Amino acid sequence: MAIDTQEIVREDQLLEKLIAARDQILSEVRKVIVGQDEVVDQALISLFVGGHSLVTGAPGLAKTLLIRTLANVLDLSFKRIQFTPDLMPSDITGTDIIEEDRSTGHRRLEFLQGPLFANIILADEINRTPPKTQAALLEAMQEGNVTVQGTTYDLPKPFYVLATQNPIEMEGTYPLPEAQLDRFMFNINIGYLSEDDEVDVVSQTTSVQDIRFQRNVTGPDILAFQHLIRRVPAAESVTRYAVRLVGASRPVSDGAPDYIKRWVNWGASLRASQFLILGGKARAVMMGRYNVSVEDVKALAYPVLRHRILLNFHAESEKVKPDDVIKRLIDTVPEPKSGL
């Protein structure tokens, strides 16, 4: 089989462009966001593979600011939807309206696009809107289109949803069912900053700021990155490790650890295995590698699995969190002997 040297050169150039894009985006985001490089990397990984992310954190940790800043440094269209209890599906998907042709007097239905028709969607506090509206968003995430009055409309590509939810103040909220949570590639957790980082944030935000961003990454760039990432090879041993890690989270699996059977009601789905490998490919490429390692899988196990492991009352009574279970899975599931 002949080797296409031109194709190899193009892929190498695209790889260099992706690495440069990641570094440039991080540099631009740091103008506003302090100490959240890992969070930004996870958001970029899901963007570069065409996934969607749920961003969770306590109030005041700049979830919305982070997403808005990320959108500002990309040359993509951006819409923010503030989810409220009275938001209806047509408020986000769009609706048909009656338009009159003044020259003829004829009336016709015209589709008025909703805010979903953008490259990056910030779904702010998604758990504050009723299930019907949540389902409309999640259908768009899954299918890449919306259907209104029997007509299907394609959403722009790339299409990327970053949804925020507040883990406290659960009164008046509509928590996403597990089957809908599974549509999100990552559950990105934003924690509190260190004291030094918090001092930097306070100093920056209480002084005059004139921040300007360079926008060098376009929609076609991201689509090209997505295609490149899927071409990255993953060794069978690494894929099997990801599958075993996910399988061990299911209490119904043969050989599931005792702590899984004690603490877990429902484990991760097949999507988790797919996202571990796909995300691992993106992480490898962003670091300049053309192969997926076990360390890539381990690094992404937390954002991929934490919203897919449903704990029971035993875990709650023992104050066990999903991240605690994931850590034990990483510690107990054996790595491939090859060490890849």
Side-chain angles (χ1 to χ4, degrees), residues 70-193:
L70 185 60
N72 282 338
V73 303
L74 298 168
D75 191 13
L76 301 171
S77 58
F78 169 70
K79 294 285 179 64
R80 173 183 176 179
I81 307 173
Q82 185 65 51
F83 281 78
T84 56
D86 60 347
L87 197 70
M88 300 299 292
S90 59
D91 294 330
I92 65 172
T93 61
T95 187
D96 288 325
I97 60 173
I98 298 175
E99 286 281 353
E100 182 176 342
D101 189 331
R102 293 183 179 179
S103 61
T104 63
H106 292 303
R107 294 183 177 183
R108 61 182 179 179
L109 286 175
E110 288 285 341
F111 178 65
L112 183 64
Q113 293 183 351
L116 278 185
F117 286 81
N119 297 122
I120 297 181
I121 304 297
L122 166 54
D124 219 354
E125 296 192 283
I126 189 175
N127 56 333
R128 291 202 177 277
T129 205
K132 184 183 290 187
T133 307
Q134 292 176 355
L137 172 66
L138 293 164
E139 180 184 357
M141 290 164 49
Q142 184 72 17
E143 307 297 335
N145 55 51
V146 297
T147 302
V148 178
Q149 300 293 332
T151 304
T152 299
Y153 302 92
D154 289 331
L155 295 168
K157 296 184 185 305
F159 178 69
Y160 181 45
V161 174
L162 277 156
T164 70
Q165 69 173 4
N166 192 335
I168 63 175
E169 298 179 21
M170 298 307 292
E171 184 177 351
T173 63
Y174 305 84
L176 290 171
E178 284 72 26
Q180 293 184 354
L181 282 172
D182 197 42
R183 306 272 183 94
F184 289 95
M185 177 179 181
F186 284 160
N187 181 355
I188 301 173
N189 188 32
I190 297 184
Y192 289 102
L193 298 172

Side-chain angles (χ1 to χ4, degrees), residues 1 20 51 76 112-113 173 187 194 201 215 233 260 270 279 317 329 339:
M1 183 177 178
L76 301 171
L112 183 64
Q113 293 183 351
T173 63
N187 181 355
S194 67
V201 170
R215 307 176 75 186
I260 293 293
L270 173 60
S317 65
L329 284 170

Side-chain angles (χ1 to χ4, degrees), residues 218-258:
T218 66
D221 289 336
I222 291 174
L223 294 176
F225 295 160
Q226 291 175 3
H227 180 71
L228 172 69
I229 285 166
R230 287 182 175 272
R231 292 174 62 87
V232 173
E236 191 269 349
S237 58
V238 176
T239 301
R240 189 173 296 277
Y241 172 74
V243 170
R244 285 177 175 169
L245 194 67
V246 171
S249 73
R250 304 167 187 154
V252 296
S253 295
D254 294 336
D258 290 340

Side-chain angles (χ1 to χ4, degrees), residues 30-100:
R30 285 181 186 137
K31 294 178 180 178
V32 176
I33 303 297
V34 176
Q36 298 287 6
D37 286 0
E38 185 179 359
V39 169
V40 176
D41 263 342
Q42 290 173 9
L44 287 179
I45 287 171
S46 55
L47 174 63
F48 288 166
V49 303
H52 308 282
S53 292
L54 189 66
V55 183
T56 306
L61 293 182
K63 298 185 296 295
T64 302
L65 178 62
L66 170 66
I67 297 168
R68 182 182 291 279
T69 303
L70 185 60
N72 282 338
V73 303
L74 298 168
D75 191 13
L76 301 171
S77 58
F78 169 70
K79 294 285 179 64
R80 173 183 176 179
I81 307 173
Q82 185 65 51
F83 281 78
T84 56
D86 60 347
L87 197 70
M88 300 299 292
S90 59
D91 294 330
I92 65 172
T93 61
T95 187
D96 288 325
I97 60 173
I98 298 175
E99 286 281 353
E100 182 176 342

Side-chain angles (χ1 to χ4, degrees), residues 177-339:
E178 284 72 26
Q180 293 184 354
L181 282 172
D182 197 42
R183 306 272 183 94
F184 289 95
M185 177 179 181
F186 284 160
N187 181 355
I188 301 173
N189 188 32
I190 297 184
Y192 289 102
L193 298 172
S194 67
E195 182 178 318
D196 289 342
D197 285 340
E198 194 161 337
V199 168
D200 288 342
V201 170
V202 173
S203 299
Q204 287 181 17
T205 55
T206 56
S207 59
V208 176
Q209 292 180 294
D210 182 19
I211 298 172
R212 303 187 185 194
F213 298 113
Q214 294 182 358
R215 307 176 75 186
N216 298 325
V217 181
T218 66
D221 289 336
I222 291 174
L223 294 176
F225 295 160
Q226 291 175 3
H227 180 71
L228 172 69
I229 285 166
R230 287 182 175 272
R231 292 174 62 87
V232 173
E236 191 269 349
S237 58
V238 176
T239 301
R240 189 173 296 277
Y241 172 74
V243 170
R244 285 177 175 169
L245 194 67
V246 171
S249 73
R250 304 167 187 154
V252 296
S253 295
D254 294 336
D258 290 340
Y259 59 87
I260 293 293
K261 294 178 179 178
R262 174 172 176 79
W263 291 333
V264 178
N265 264 349
W266 199 258
S269 70
L270 173 60
R271 276 197 185 108
S273 303
Q274 294 169 327
F275 283 142
L276 279 174
I277 294 301
L278 197 54
K281 291 183 176 187
R283 186 176 186 268
V285 169
M286 285 167 60
M287 294 184 172
R289 289 184 282 109
Y290 253 134
N291 65 293
V292 186
S293 70
V294 167
E295 290 306 314
D296 293 321
V297 174
K298 287 182 177 181
L300 299 181
Y302 291 95
V304 168
L305 296 177
R306 64 166 57 104
H307 58 300
R308 293 183 164 92
I309 294 178
L310 180 61
L311 302 181
N312 57 28
F313 69 94
H314 289 296
E316 187 175 348
S317 65
E318 297 176 34
K319 296 186 169 97
V320 173
K321 304 296 182 187
D323 281 18
D324 301 325
V325 175
I326 296 166
K327 183 178 186 306
R328 289 196 66 167
L329 284 170
I330 292 172
D331 290 342
T332 56
V333 174
E335 297 182 17
K337 291 183 180 178
S338 60

